[in-house]
Every structure is written in C-alpha cells, then in structure tokens.
Amino acid sequence: MTEQGIGARVLRKEDKRFITGKGRYTDDIRNERQAYAAFVRSPHAHAKVTGIDSAEAEKMDGVIAVLNGKQLTGDGIGNLICGWAVNSKDGSPMNMGAWSALATDKVRYVGDAVVLVVAETQAAARAAAEAVVVDYEELPAVVHAVDALKDGAPQVHENAPGNLIFDWGIGEEAAVDKALSGAAHVTELEIVNNRLSPNPMEPRSAIATYDEAEDHYTLYTTSQNPHVARLVLSAFYQVAPEHKLRVIAPDVGGGFGSKIYIYPEEIACLWASMKTKRSVKWTSSRSEAFLTDAHGRDHVSTARIGFDENNRIVGLKVDTVANLGAYMSLFSSAVPTYLYATLLSGQYDIANIYCNVRTVYTNTAPVDAYRGAGRPEACFLVERIMETAARELGVDPSELRRANFIKAFPHQTPVIMTYDAGDFAANLDQALEAADYKGFPARREEAAKRGKLRGIGLASYIEACGIAPSAAVGSLGAGVGLWESAEVRVNPVGTIEVLTGSHSHGQGHETTFAQVVAERFGLPIENIQIVHGDTDKVQFGMGTYGSRSGPVGLSAIVKALDKVEAKVKKIAAHVLEVSEDDLVVENGEVKVAGTDRAMAWHEVGLAAYTAHNLPAGMEPGLKEGAFYDPENFTFPAGTYVCEVEVDPETGETKIIQFVASDDFGTIINPMIVEGQVHGGIAQGVGQAMLETVVYDEEGQLLSASYMDYTMPRADNVPSFVIHHHSTKSPSNPLGMKGCGEAGAIGTPPAVINAITDAIGNNDLQMPATPPRVWAALQAASTKIAAE
Amino acid sequence: MYDVTYHRATSVDDAVARLSAASEGQLLAGGQTLLPTMKHRLAAPSDLIDLRGIADLVGVRVSGRSVTIGAMTTHAAVAGNAELAKVCPAIVKLAGGIGDPAVRHQGTIGGSIANNDPAADYPAGLMALGATIHTNRREIAADDFFTGLFSTALDEGEIVTAVSFDAPETCGYAKFPNPASRYAMTGVFVAKGGDGVVRVAVTGAGSDGVFRHEGLEQALSKDWSSAAVDGVSVSADGLMSDIHCDAAYRANLIKAMAKRALA
Ligand SMILES: Cc1cc2nc3c(=O)[nH]c(=O)nc-3n(C[C@H](O)[C@H](O)[C@H](O)COP(=O)(O)OP(=O)(O)OC[C@H]3O[C@@H](n4cnc5c(N)ncnc54)[C@H](O)[C@@H]3O)c2cc1C
C-alpha cells in the first residue's frame, strides 16, 4: 500500500467544492434567456381527463407556452417504457400499460403530469399552471397491491386485466412442496416490506436546450447514468438521435436509485425546448419529489421454511405480491424478480427454493429500485424467518445460522446465483465477538431492573452486486448490457485523465478511482483527474447503481491501465534498450528491475507524444480505452448485530449498539467505505423504525412532507461499530465486491429481530414506531393473560 | 409563494393601522408557520405586517413570582432566561424543546399561541399555568383563549402583546415528540399553585386541541405523585387518530407524559 494507494484513508478530493458550497448542480446552471417549466399535476389518484382549458393561462404575463399530452404524442414523442422484459410463468409477456410523459386521457396517480407551462420566470410558470383548468371524471382508486388483485378492483390499465402485470416464478415448486411436507418443522411468516420515499438531498432537475441551427439538444439532468438516459431518450422516446443529444449529469446530490430512471419531466422539457426554441428548466419542489420520485420496496409476502430433525433447512417457499404503482418505471420489473428472488438462498445451503411473484398496478407513484433494490426485501424475508425459526426451534439464532451456512465455494443456489467466495462464519464470529453476544443475558437482566426490555437481533445478509454479466442479464430479459467502459488519457506531461462511465453522486469516485491509478503507477492523486457524467466526453457508460462502480467501473479502468502500462513499457524498453520484461512501473518511474536505470513517468509521456523515438510501427500518443463485462455478480456478505432497549410504557425503542462485520472484498478507501456503511445503516434504521409512505384509500399521499415522513436523524442511531473480514472476489481484477447498499440491506431485519426479541411478540411490521411496538406489547400481554 | 406587500410596523398602533388598511393583511411574527404555508401556496395574504421591529413586544420580565413574556419573545429567549428558569423551570424546558435551534430563534410565543396548532407546546403550558393573554384590546384567560383546532378567541385585527402568569409552587412538562415533525404527539403540563390548586393541560392529543384533564387534576390534587396518575383511567374518547398513532396510544401517552412531567 502506498500513502495514497489502495487501502489508504485519503480525504475526498471532491469535498473541497462540496463543503465550500462550490458544487455545480443542475439547478445552479442558468442558460441565456432561461425559461422555466411548471407542471399541472393530477389531484386525483384515478380519473378520466375530459377537458383541458388553457386559455386563461396562455394570456398571463410571461407565459411562453402551455403544452399538453395530445400535442406531445402528436409530435411523435414515445411512451415511457420498462427496460427489462419479464414473462409470466405461462410464457406470456408482461402487461405493460402506456405511460405518456403528459397524460392524454386518463390520470393514474396523484402527481401524474397533465400539462406543462413554460414561462419567463418560475413564479409566472407556477401561477399559470394554477390557471389551467383540467376537467376530471373521478374513478375509484386502489392503493394496496393485494386489494388491486381482488375481484372488482378498479382497473388501472386496460391491458393489464385484474391489474396483474405478470405472474412469475423461479425454482422448482413441486420439489419444494415435497421437501416442506416431509420437514420436521415448518416456520411460516407473513412479511410486509414497507414502501419508502427515496429523499435524495438534491431534488430532481432538468434543463433542456434545443439548438435550432445545429438541430441538437443538450440536457443537464440529475442522473445516475447519463448515457442510459440518452439511449432511452433516443431509442424509445424519439426525442432525438443519440448524436444529436448530449446529456450531462453534473454534480448530483444523492440518488439512492431514484435518479436511474428517465422521468416524464425530462422528456417534456426536451420536447418543450424544441417547441419554444428556449432553454427550459424545471426543478422539482420537495412536494413534487414526494409525489413523483419513484418509491422503493412495497412487497407483501408469505414464506414457509422447513427444517429436518437436525435443524438443517430443507426448503423455502415464498409468495410475493409487489406493488409497481401506476406505471412501470425503467427497471421496475427486475427489482422484485431477478434482484430479489435470486437472493432468497441467503447465506444458507438450501436445496429447494421456490418463489412466486405477482407484480401489480395500483393508483400510486411508480415503484422502482431504491438502495438495495430487491435485495433488502429478500434479506428481510430470509433473516426474519431464520430468527423466527430459531425461536420456534428453541435454538440460538446464531447457531441455527451457522449450522446452515454455505461453507464451500463456488456454490450454486437453486435460484440462479453462483456464489463465488465468502467466509460467512468468520463474519458471524467477528460480529458476535464485537457485540459481546455472550454477555447479553446479563445486560438484559440489568435492563429489566431499570424497567426496560432489552433485545438482541442478528442478520446475516448476502447481496449480489456489480451487476452484471451482460449475456446473463440479456437471457433474463434485460434490454441493455451491464458492462462498463473507461478511457485513460496520459498527457504529454504525465498527468492523467480517467474517463469513466460510472457516475458519482456522493460515492467519492474522484478520490477512490484516482487512488487505484496512483497505486498502479506510483503517482500523486493530485495528478489524476476523474471525468464522468457527460456523454460528449465519455464515450459510453452504464452508470452507477447496484454497487457496480467498484467491481465493474473500476475493473474497466484497470483493463485500460493494463493497456497503458503495456505501451509505456514498450516505449521505455525501446528508449532504454532493454527488454520489456525487465521493466517495472513504480514510484512514478519506469525502472529496470533491480537497477537504478529508469525513465521518469513524464519522460515516457513526452516520448509518446513527441514521437521522435518510438518503436517501429508504434502509433504516437498514450491513450487507451477498455470495456469490461463482468464474469459474475459479486457477493458482499456479513453479519449485523443490533441491540435495543424498549420502554414498555411508551414503546420507545433505543438502539443501544449496532455492530457490522462486512465482507466487501478489497477495500480501496476505508474511510469512504465506512461512510457508505454508516449511511446504509441509517437508511436501514429509517426503514425499520421510522419511514413509510402512506396513501389514504382514495390514493391521496398523506406522508407528503417531512412533517409526516420521518427521516432518520442523528439521534435515531447509535455510534456504529464497523469491522471487516474480507475474502477477495475472484470475479474481477481488484477483488472488489461493493459496499454501497449493504447497510440498507442487512439492517432492517437485525433491528426488527432485536425489537421482537425484546418485546416477546414476533408480530411486528415495519416501521416499528413506538405506537406499533406499544400495541405489540399490549397484544403480547393480553395473550399471556389469556393463557 | 404569491406576491405580497411587506410592511415593517413600528408600533402596535402602526401595525393595527396597516392591518386594517390592507385588503387581506396578516401579521408576521417569526414566520415559522406562516411562511411555509405561504410557500406551499396555501395562504395568500395581500400584505404582511411584520411585528419584529416593535421593541415593546419583546422580553421576559420576572418580578417575584409574577412573569410577563412579550408576544415577540422568541422560544430561544424564553429557553435561555436564567431568572425565569429559577421561578418556572418547566416553561423554560418547554420552550427549549420546541422544534430545532433555527425554529427557536425565529418562532415567537405570540405567534405560537395565535396559531394554536393542536400539537404546539405553549398552549398546554399557558393553560396549565392559568396564564392571561394580553392583547391590544383586552385580557383573556388562557382557558378562554384556546377555542379549538387553529382557532382562538382573538378577533379580527386583534394583536397579542404579551402573556403573564404567576409561577406556581411546582410544575413540570413532558412531551412525546412526533417522530417526523417533533411537535407534540402528546404533551402534558402539570402545575400546582401555592393555593394547592392543580391544573393539568394536554396538547397534541385532543381532537379539539389543547384541553385540561379533569381526572388527572382531581387525582393529583389529592396526591401529587406518579402513583396517583397510575390510578386514573384516561379515555381515548375525543382524542385524535392520525397516520402516526391512534387515540388509544395517545390515551396511554397522556398518562406516561403526566408521570414524566411529575418526575
Ligand atoms: C420545523 C418546525 C418545527 C416546529 N416544531 C414545533 C414544536 O415542536 N412545538 C411547537 O409548539 N411549535 C413548533 N413549531 C412552530 C413554531 O414554534 C412557531 O411557534 C410557530 O410556527 C408560530 O410562531 P411564529 O412566531 O413563527 O409565527 P408566524 O408563523 O409568524 O405566525 C403564525 C400565525 O400567528 C399570527 N400571529 C403572529 N403573531 C401574532 C400576534 N402577536 N398577535 C396575533 N396574531 C399573531 C400570524 O398572523 C399567523 O397567522 C415548529 C415550526 C417549524 C417550522
């Protein structure tokens, strides 16, 4: 390890501009003659649009245009699509309903965009939007997925009868049924995975500019994947061909998945900029963000797990209903299927698994990937049912887990995944030790003396990151390949620009990616610039989500670095008149190993560009590109331990300690990794104890501001204890696994297992708020009294 | 936010004059409720008459056990007042538990009680302390001032100038914060006067806003202790149910917070 290389706690290069307020976010950008957009949104969850009267609005001061959905579709702008085709068990394709960027004849959730107003100022645009009169004929609405499947439920899209999008299955059902019927013990559990609002600090924003002379569009937008945005905007929405559309995602203030997708507003702004010949800017208000940012989770499942007489798992059967909201967002079909059910084996050796998933339309905001995306839902289910089973079987939950751990790798699960490396027992041991698990009974007794109920809970999570091998996801219906690209440009003076298709929106790529280059050539990270987020600069990229920037994005960079190093050695071998094989690159020099003969790094760069003395036939310059397509997913795993104290009088729950032992493979910057884990755990605590999206029966969003939607705050979490025990991933050159989502995946079950342990009632759904915990305590004591 | 004309009043009389001259005028104190409402376009006053320039309305006066707090005194100023802390620590604690530091440095006692949010803290304090609300026109007993959800006895154009009360022999306040907003999901203020009269006021729980709890008052008049609270049965009738919790939980919180207020 060098001082700034792999494994060093380097302070983040990007933080200077962020903490001095000099970040450049989309909303900070203002073009010449900037015009502003405001959307007229549906106040109803479900209604026919019977008329739109824009006359009053059009007359108002500063109004440039008032545009509607009929005009948009009339101009040939295509519908929004879901980019991953998932078929039903019977082979029929999914029932995708039409989603126009501006609703034409029907609105399907509160917040659905109907009309776009473009005006000289934001205030004028908003005022005019209020003056547009939309006539609605209200229809009955449905908000819960289970209700939407019932006979006679309101029909959200005509082409999805019974609101069923698809009825999908994975695994061998008959084999699982047989295993469960022969099991010595079966544990059954009903599990609700609560719907969450993503809440990135920076709301969504878009600035679209049409250049009439060039017939060219530029879109600044809050995207985690500007190239994917351009691809979809070109190929499906017919806004402009790719070479006529530049997408730039400058500094982006958090995404958590919600900025992967292309939303109606970006499409509408691009189209409006062409219609008005003005640069059109829209920035979401926080209220609009609550209504329209794609939500996460929202599963209702029943699960049955069977054990033999030695407490070894014989089978797991799961039935899940997933709410996808009013429209299918870009990756919505993949989240509750391939990103979820493929992880139902957890860390355990389970021969038989079957999972049925029905995805459903409702009159709510679209649901798509949110930090963890499917994997938190899988982990919550597996780890809740394991803990429940341990209680029923009367064995220590840590021992039930240990007995069923997968111990040999590679391991093929019955649900597609091949786990390639891990040491689950080592993480479990490390976590138990750090949490003083053995000392828990004494702590429980001491708490009881103070009138408090103390509980402890575990979660041994596994997730699949680094998505994904392109051929594999292609065979499963993905509309894109999930490789990554990189370009390394060495300048004549030896400084380096690395262009990457990954996108940093808080992850710290400008630092960690530079560390890898610094380590490779022994250069200071100050000499390395990471360039990302602009389709005109970076040739292509699939972007950042699913903890893929390390395992996939960096692997592409490493491949390009390999090519640079090979050329550097050829040049130096030629100049120094030695064999390439005798050369090493270290400390900013290309050296003849074991001697003091060397060329300085910048001398090689200069030689490449002056081209005065290059090997015969070699092209001048020093620039290499690479595409990296992963061979496999990576599998971060670990064990979390949560210890809580409940006040029985009020149900208030305090997390006393939270211990994480993670296996992330190779760690480039431990400080940044710890930050990712801290944030992930806080978000996991948010899901477990605080956050939930609530619609009333009419489909009105009740949790529509921070007065009602509870974000985790510093006083909701303890100081975390974080440990690592790493096995390297054999699937990529650096051995990385990814760390961005683990906290959000492993935390919820650990917290709920701890609270249910404390209160002696396993019937508790998320978020476990004080009133719910108190009610569960009342129910438990009523039950005891009755017995 | 809609367009609005801003006025900085120099005196209470000036504020009254500007208010009556405006078509849809509204007083502005700390703006912690009014400005967010305007930003959400839920309120659209034609004119804002800012009271922050009126020095007479600001400050805490303690003389013996008699306390007067000017309407424009911020929550932070009440929370940080050492003299007040000596005679009535519970009101100081209440003020220090409102919102966050930014809110406490802007929000005012006058604005809070004029707004009478059913989950606000001050209404419980003033009702339990038997406070008097002073306006530019009259004096109103706290019991008569808070008349329901977001409604008060204030007439059109009437301005709260101060509140006053005699510090009781002993008092306490405990609030269970709403996890999202951190307003009171239930807050209970208990006070026992020198004459032995006990007053208990509950905020955050009632469907009609702040109210006095007779059962708790009776029990605590006999026995000022947490055991006395245990013996009271608190009904869920007339309590609020919302997305955060139901009436039964609020009934439980009334007892739990009463006990904490006594501790
Ligand atoms: C994030 C946040 C958290 C909060 N948390 C809490 C909490 O935990 N507990 C709590 O109790 N409160 C809380 N509040 C409310 C805050 O404490 C203020 O007290 C409250 O918003 C009103 O006071 P203000 O001075 O800001 O009044 P303004 O918002 O300026 O005015 C409120 C209303 O009162 C009228 N008004 C103002 N002054 C007078 C007067 N002198 N005479 C007559 N009418 C008047 C105004 O015209 C307006 O209608 C919170 C607010 C925010 C924004």
Side-chain angles (χ1 to χ4, degrees):
Chain A
M1 180 177 109
T2 63
E3 230 169 276
Q4 295 184 319
I6 294 174
R9 290 178 174 271
V10 179
L11 293 182
R12 303 204 323 169
K13 290 173 77 175
E14 47 270 75
D15 281 348
K16 182 175 173 190
R17 70 175 190 278
F18 292 154
I19 64 181
T20 57
K22 300 276 164 48
R24 193 162 180 263
Y25 298 89
T26 300
D27 191 58
D28 295 326
I29 294 157
R30 186 168 310 175
N31 288 320
E32 229 175 273
R33 296 178 67 241
Q34 185 70 66
Y36 296 85
F39 288 87
V40 178
R41 297 183 182 281
S42 171
H44 305 296
H46 200 190
K48 281 186 187 148
V49 178
T50 53
I52 297 173
D53 181 355
S54 309
E56 202 55 41
E58 276 163 5
K59 280 188 272 177
M60 288 171 73
D61 273 355
V63 172
I64 299 165
V66 182
L67 303 168
N68 64 45
K70 293 234 161 76
Q71 292 168 290
L72 176 117
T73 48
D75 279 357
I77 301 296
N79 285 330
L80 282 87
I81 51 114
C82 174
W84 196 310
V86 175
N87 293 343
S88 282
K89 287 180 287 196
D90 63 9
S92 59
M94 61 192 190
N95 301 319
M96 180 160 54
W99 184 9
S100 168
L102 295 173
T104 47
D105 39 42
K106 205 176 168 195
V107 287
R108 295 184 174 83
Y109 76 103
V110 173
D112 214 347
V114 183
V115 171
L116 167 60
V117 177
V118 182
E120 297 292 345
T121 63
Q122 202 177 53
R126 290 206 175 146
E130 279 175 15
V132 175
V133 182
V134 183
D135 294 322
Y136 296 101
E137 183 189 320
E138 274 187 74
L139 299 168
V142 62
V143 299
H144 298 292
V146 173
D147 294 340
L149 288 176
K150 288 182 184 151
D151 284 347
Q155 181 71 34
V156 182
H157 288 274
E158 257 94 85
N159 61 332
N163 298 312
L164 184 68
I165 300 169
F166 56 76
D167 180 354
W168 175 89
I170 188 171
E172 301 291 332
E173 185 171 17
V176 175
D177 286 341
K178 189 160 164 248
L180 289 177
S181 66
H185 179 86
V186 174
T187 291
E188 192 167 332
L189 201 59
E190 242 191 69
I191 290 167
V192 178
N193 209 288
N194 45 326
R195 180 186 277 239
L196 302 175
S197 172
N199 288 297
M201 205 183 283
E202 180 205 21
R204 288 191 291 124
S205 182
I207 308 176
T209 309
Y210 176 64
D211 179 335
E212 212 180 346
E214 299 284 342
D215 192 25
H216 180 278
Y217 293 83
T218 302
L219 175 70
Y220 281 90
T221 188
T222 45
S223 175
Q224 300 178 213
N225 36 215
H227 290 86
V228 176
R230 186 182 62 162
L231 172 68
V232 176
L233 286 164
S234 299
F236 298 102
Y237 310 144
Q238 258 80 69
V239 171
E242 278 175 286
H243 67 297
K244 292 291 186 186
L245 171 59
R246 176 184 184 186
V247 179
I248 304 166
D251 282 333
V252 174
F256 310 117
S258 70
K259 292 173 181 167
I260 297 172
Y261 332 113
I262 319 306
Y263 288 87
E265 290 84 0
E266 293 136 40
I267 301 168
C269 285
L270 279 164
W271 169 68
S273 78
M274 183 273 291
K275 290 274 263 203
T276 61
K277 312 289 184 278
R278 293 284 294 266
S279 174
V280 176
K281 178 177 191 171
W282 169 78
T283 298
S284 169
S285 67
R286 189 57 72 181
S287 306
E288 285 178 294
F290 272 108
L291 287 174
T292 65
D293 285 3
H295 291 161
R297 322 276 194 257
D298 204 345
H299 286 196
V300 177
S301 302
T302 49
R304 300 178 72 223
I305 191 166
F307 294 84
D308 68 13
E309 44 295 324
N310 300 318
N311 294 338
R312 302 296 297 269
I313 305 167
V314 295
L316 171 65
K317 187 169 183 180
V318 179
D319 181 63
T320 295
V321 177
N323 190 341
L324 297 195
Y327 300 102
M328 290 189 79
S329 175
L330 197 59
F331 290 114
S332 57
S333 57
V335 176
T337 51
Y338 295 111
L339 298 180
Y340 161 69
T342 54
L343 272 308
L344 286 172
S345 198
Q347 298 191 358
Y348 312 110
D349 188 355
I350 309 179
N352 304 292
I353 299 176
Y354 178 76
C355 179
N356 190 99
V357 177
R358 284 168 293 165
T359 52
V360 181
Y361 278 127
T362 61
N363 296 112
T364 61
V367 177
D368 206 324
Y370 169 69
R371 200 171 192 174
R375 291 153 290 163
E377 294 90 317
C379 176
F380 188 69
L381 186 142
V382 172
E383 289 307 290
R384 281 289 290 129
I385 205 166
M386 283 300 280
E387 195 91 8
T388 305
R391 289 174 195 164
E392 289 178 3
L393 292 165
V395 299
D396 184 307
S398 71
E399 290 314 314
L400 186 68
R401 286 180 170 84
R402 190 191 304 280
N404 284 285
F405 277 159
I406 292 160
K407 295 174 187 85
F409 299 90
H411 173 90
Q412 177 65 54
T413 73
V415 279
I416 298 182
M417 293 298 178
T418 309
Y419 298 167
D420 52 8
D423 186 351
F424 303 149
N427 289 112
L428 176 69
D429 288 337
Q430 190 177 47
L432 295 179
E433 169 83 37
D436 184 23
Y437 188 68
K438 286 205 191 86
F440 174 73
R443 297 198 292 280
R444 171 175 260 175
E445 236 173 81
E446 183 278 330
K449 283 188 199 134
R450 288 182 283 111
K452 297 288 194 302
L453 305 170
R454 197 146 168 144
I456 196 163
L458 309 185
S460 295
Y461 75 91
I462 188 160
E463 52 160 332
C465 287
I467 55 173
S470 299
V473 295
S475 74
L476 301 176
V480 289
L482 289 170
W483 41 262
E484 197 45 87
S485 86
E487 188 175 309
V488 175
R489 298 178 183 165
V490 183
N491 298 314
V493 290
T495 58
I496 297 178
E497 281 126 28
V498 178
L499 287 72
T500 170
S502 297
H503 186 278
S504 186
H505 33 278
Q507 292 86 348
H509 295 169
E510 288 169 48
T511 306
T512 46
F513 287 12
Q515 284 182 253
V516 170
V517 182
E519 162 115 0
R520 183 69 175 259
F521 300 135
L523 299 170
I525 59 168
E526 292 72 27
N527 290 8
I528 299 146
Q529 187 77 17
I530 307 298
V531 179
H532 67 90
D534 184 341
T535 58
D536 262 14
K537 291 181 182 165
V538 180
Q539 191 251 331
F540 215 102
M542 296 312 297
T544 289
Y545 37 82
S547 304
R548 66 193 304 276
S549 299
V552 190
L554 255 176
S555 297
I557 294 174
V558 169
K559 269 187 81 175
L561 292 174
D562 291 344
K563 295 183 190 176
V564 168
E565 181 170 333
K567 185 162 182 181
V568 160
K569 281 186 176 164
K570 281 202 174 73
I571 295 170
H574 178 73
V575 174
L576 296 171
E577 295 178 336
V578 295
S579 155
E580 284 167 49
D581 300 338
D582 296 336
L583 292 173
V584 289
V585 184
E586 57 183 32
N587 297 326
E589 285 184 332
V590 188
K591 243 167 74 178
V592 182
T595 74
D596 55 6
R597 290 191 61 209
M599 270 180 95
W601 177 257
H602 66 268
E603 289 175 333
V604 185
L606 203 58
Y609 284 92
T610 57
H612 295 164
N613 182 19
L614 291 179
M618 180 182 275
E619 288 177 13
L622 195 47
K623 180 193 89 165
E624 299 288 350
F627 283 69
Y628 173 79
D629 197 358
E631 294 159 23
N632 191 359
F633 291 84
T634 61
F635 298 95
T639 290
Y640 289 177
V641 184
C642 178
E643 195 166 325
V644 299
E645 246 176 50
V646 175
D647 181 340
E649 232 175 21
T650 58
E652 282 165 294
T653 303
K654 204 171 159 47
I655 299 178
I656 305 294
Q657 70 160 343
F658 197 99
V659 174
S661 168
D662 294 297
D663 178 353
F664 295 142
T666 301
I667 289 172
I668 296 182
N669 185 324
M671 180 196 72
I672 288 179
V673 168
E674 284 159 16
Q676 288 285 329
V677 177
H678 289 177
I681 296 173
Q683 248 165 320
V685 168
Q687 168 158 33
M689 299 174 67
L690 305 163
E691 299 180 47
T692 197
V693 171
V694 184
Y695 286 96
D696 71 11
E697 293 305 319
E698 274 78 52
Q700 294 295 331
L701 183 65
L702 299 181
S703 55
S705 82
Y706 292 127
M707 298 306 268
D708 287 304
Y709 188 89
T710 314
M711 292 295 284
R713 304 187 207 189
D715 62 354
N716 295 125
V717 292
S719 189
F720 308 117
V721 178
I722 292 170
H723 291 279
H724 300 288
H725 178 90
S726 298
T727 59
K728 281 190 197 298
S729 166
S731 308
N732 60 67
L734 292 175
M736 299 180 71
K737 295 189 178 179
C739 66
E741 295 155 294
I745 293 169
T747 300
V751 171
I752 299 299
N753 286 338
I755 301 175
T756 52
D757 179 50
I759 65 176
N761 183 353
N762 202 42
D763 186 11
L764 181 70
Q765 301 290 4
M766 298 191 289
T769 58
R772 282 194 178 165
V773 172
W774 181 78
L777 265 168
Q778 306 312 303
S781 57
T782 322
K783 215 171 106 198
I784 290 166
E787 271 163 14
Chain B
M1 196 183 281
Y2 297 100
D3 285 350
V4 61
T5 306
Y6 174 85
H7 307 258
R8 197 166 175 88
T10 52
S11 67
V12 173
D13 288 344
D14 181 38
V16 171
R18 287 172 190 267
L19 196 57
S20 59
S23 63
E24 301 248 354
Q26 209 167 348
L27 299 169
L28 175 68
Q32 295 305 291
T33 293
L34 185 51
L35 294 182
T37 316
M38 289 172 67
K39 284 189 195 163
H40 274 105
R41 304 169 88 89
L42 296 171
S46 62
D47 296 73
L48 277 185
I49 293 94
D50 190 349
L51 302 176
R52 281 177 302 180
I54 308 174
D56 299 352
L57 297 182
V58 183
V60 179
R61 257 178 305 132
V62 180
S63 112
R65 298 198 70 78
S66 130
V67 177
T68 307
I69 304 173
M72 287 303 291
T73 311
T74 63
H75 310 327
V78 172
N81 191 293
E83 265 185 280
L84 184 57
K86 274 187 225 147
V87 298
C88 191
I91 200 77
V92 168
K93 177 184 160 195
L94 176 150
I98 295 175
D100 51 47
V103 169
R104 292 197 287 275
H105 281 274
Q106 293 289 333
T108 65
I109 190 167
S112 175
I113 62 170
N115 188 51
N116 194 19
D117 188 306
D121 296 293
Y122 269 130
L126 298 194
M127 201 179 250
L129 292 167
T132 301
I133 290 59
H134 303 255
T135 77
N136 57 329
R137 293 181 195 161
R138 56 185 167 145
E139 294 183 357
I140 310 168
D143 280 337
D144 302 326
F145 183 83
F146 301 106
T147 54
L149 301 181
F150 297 102
S151 72
T152 65
L154 287 174
D155 289 328
E156 193 84 353
E158 190 169 9
I159 299 179
V160 176
T161 53
V163 303
S164 66
F165 57 86
D166 285 332
E169 187 188 285
T170 172
C171 61
Y173 181 64
K175 123 184 192 183
F176 191 91
N178 173 310
S181 73
R182 304 214 174 174
Y183 273 74
M185 199 138 96
T186 290
V188 178
F189 202 108
V190 296
K192 185 161 94 173
D195 51 6
V197 173
V198 169
R199 294 169 69 97
V200 177
V202 178
T203 190
S207 310
D208 287 326
V210 63
F211 66 94
R212 282 173 61 187
H213 199 283
E214 231 174 282
L216 286 170
E217 288 185 352
Q218 279 168 7
L220 289 174
S221 319
K222 287 191 207 111
D223 173 14
W224 183 256
S225 78
S226 127
V229 173
D230 278 330
V232 178
S233 96
V234 173
S235 162
D237 291 349
L239 301 185
M240 271 191 287
S241 283
D242 56 27
I243 65 167
H244 300 287
C245 72
D246 61 12
Y249 184 68
R250 283 194 163 92
N252 176 63
L253 280 185
I254 290 175
K255 284 174 80 167
M257 293 307 110
K259 286 202 254 179
R260 283 186 197 173
L262 286 163

